Amino acid sequence: MVDLLAGHAEVAAEVEEGFARVLATGAFIKGPDVAAFEAEFAAFSGTAHCVGVANGTDALELALRAAEMPAGAGVVMPANTFVASAEAVVRAGGRPVFADVDDEFLLLDPERAAESRGDAWGLLPVHLNGQLAPMAPLAALAAETGLRLFEDAAQCQGATQDGRGAGSWGLAAGTSFYPGKNLGAYGDGGAVLTNDAEIDRLVRELGDHGSSRKYVHDRLGFNSRLDTLQAVVLRAKLRRLADWNAARRAAAARYDALLADFEDVRLPRTAPGNVHVWHLYAVRVPRRDEVLAELNAAGIGAGIHYPVPVHLQPAFRELGHRPGDFPVAERAAAEILTLPLFPQITEEQQVRVAEALGKALARAGASGSGA
Ligand SMILES: *Cc1c(COP(=O)(O)O)cnc(C)c1O
């Protein structure tokens, strides 16, 4: 699905040189590369501030805590997301309030978010698969209703909507540098992006044992910091990210062309105003599980993101949801199929994927290539 070593080959020399520099100083935590990366990633993202933290889930939790979310507060989010979006809300002391997505882009639907809202305190759209949720209507909803707006930006480094990236639409965004993300570390990492100086300050404090000055702990916090060695990797990769995202867009366009004649395959689309960074290229097909098994048997690293919508995960059983609560998200979960895509994927590899998908659809009894 993702060839992480192909990405490493492009930055290997810089990373090794940077690691040698860090090893010579021994500044493994809060070294100068962390501050430099924070400044560079904030500039890249178009936000005033960036705080490196230990992972993306922590980033979301710390953003909510820094905004002083009240205990038990509801946070509206889409039903189809990675479990971490909802997990972060619970860990911060809140309660996920799920809402359905639109059928075309599978992004949080502002009207459904408004319907699900109840007495919720926050709004957490997820920028799924590499494109932003419809932020203008979501920001308008937040402004009208007093919902605090956050963003799950784990899958969208470099994506914009109407020229604006994640992290500047509301109070704060959390992003992840898990190795498979568009900007991936060599281990775990994450960041909070914000234009709010007070959120920046509080995330730093909370992520460093609640400490604003050495030996002074103003509140109880956590240990959630970005390692200096990971900052070295991220700085080297950030310099290539715009090019890598462009390569992902080219690869997505190639899939669009290769699969255009496949009956029964619904291609992913870019929502209006969005520059998509194609974290994942997810088509929708009938008999998905059989098609996936055929593809995997043919040696194609296809997958599903995500097979079970969050509201039906056993971990959230206490919220009392049942099948049918969010029909668009549930139908999508049964149909989506993620095809391999990474910046270095070759045309030959994509042709192989398309051919294997045609055969897999035919064998699964769905109609494959229109040829
Ligand atoms: C990866 C991801 C996260 C969490 O990131 P971690 O770094 O693994 O904690 C949160 N939300 C979404 C949508 C993600 O894809």
Side-chain angles (χ1 to χ4, degrees):
M1 165 124 21
V2 183
D3 187 346
L4 296 175
L5 296 181
H8 174 64
E10 295 188 35
V11 293
E14 247 166 276
V15 166
E16 279 162 30
E17 186 255 313
F19 279 8
R21 189 159 30 82
V22 173
L23 289 169
T25 66
F28 297 124
I29 301 275
K30 290 185 172 176
D33 282 279
V34 173
F37 170 71
E38 288 175 341
E40 289 159 8
F41 192 59
F44 177 87
S45 306
T47 58
H49 307 279
C50 167
V51 189
V53 299
N55 57 68
T57 312
D58 280 10
L60 292 168
E61 176 181 356
L62 288 166
L64 293 165
R65 285 186 183 271
E68 308 200 319
M69 179 172 76
V75 177
V76 181
M77 70 174 67
N80 68 324
T81 180
F82 182 53
V83 67
S85 317
E87 195 180 29
V89 168
V90 174
R91 278 184 12 190
R95 166 177 53 88
V97 176
F98 297 113
D100 214 343
V101 291
D102 73 276
D103 184 59
E104 184 69 60
F105 309 109
L106 305 181
L107 297 164
L108 183 61
D109 184 322
E111 279 174 33
R112 303 221 170 88
E115 284 162 20
S116 296
R117 173 169 70 94
D119 62 353
W121 171 89
L123 181 59
L124 178 64
V126 177
H127 304 321
L128 200 70
N129 294 356
Q131 68 175 332
L132 270 68
M135 292 311 290
L138 289 168
L141 172 67
E144 276 160 34
T145 58
L147 287 170
R148 275 61 157 199
L149 182 59
F150 299 87
E151 299 169 73
D152 183 333
Q155 301 191 358
C156 74
Q157 291 102 359
T160 58
Q161 182 167 99
D162 302 330
R164 270 169 83 180
S168 62
W169 296 86
L171 285 170
T175 194
S176 163
F177 306 125
Y178 179 80
K181 305 281 154 108
N182 285 37
L183 181 60
Y186 293 169
D188 281 306
V192 174
L193 293 165
T194 181
N195 280 337
D196 187 312
E198 184 60 8
I199 298 237
D200 170 89
R201 188 184 71 75
L202 278 171
V203 169
R204 284 180 197 285
E205 199 171 299
L206 287 168
D208 197 15
H209 303 293
S211 171
S212 55
R213 281 171 296 138
K214 201 165 190 187
Y215 304 128
V216 179
H217 301 273
D218 305 283
R219 62 190 77 228
L220 280 185
F222 305 84
N223 175 351
S224 187
R225 300 172 295 222
L226 182 66
D227 291 335
T228 311
L229 291 172
Q230 299 302 350
V232 166
V233 173
L234 293 168
R235 293 186 73 193
K237 289 189 163 191
L238 182 59
R239 281 182 214 117
R240 276 124 182 126
L241 186 56
D243 289 344
W244 284 347
N245 283 341
R248 286 175 182 270
R249 272 192 292 280
R254 231 183 274 141
Y255 271 139
D256 286 349
L258 286 166
L259 305 177
D261 294 335
F262 283 42
E263 289 165 37
D264 283 341
V265 177
R266 253 180 101 176
L267 301 181
R269 294 188 48 220
T270 301
N274 274 350
V275 174
H276 204 311
V277 294
W278 298 101
H279 173 58
L280 299 173
Y281 186 93
V283 298
R284 291 165 74 177
V285 295
R287 300 176 190 257
R288 192 269 321 280
D289 292 342
E290 289 140 271
V291 172
L292 175 63
E294 292 285 349
L295 278 176
N296 290 160
I300 305 291
I304 308 171
H305 300 84
Y306 300 91
V308 179
V310 190
H311 67 284
L312 299 179
Q313 286 290 354
F316 293 101
R317 67 175 79 74
E318 277 176 26
L319 295 175
H321 286 294
R322 26 185 98 247
D325 281 358
F326 304 109
V328 182
E330 289 166 30
R331 200 176 336 116
E335 296 175 354
I336 47 175
L337 175 70
T338 307
L339 301 182
L341 188 146
F342 47 95
Q344 298 81 9
I345 195 168
T346 65
E347 183 164 4
E348 290 68 34
Q349 286 174 315
Q350 291 189 270
V351 167
R352 250 188 70 217
V353 172
E355 284 171 0
L357 179 59
K359 283 188 195 142
L361 285 161
R363 285 216 209 187
S367 57
S369 106

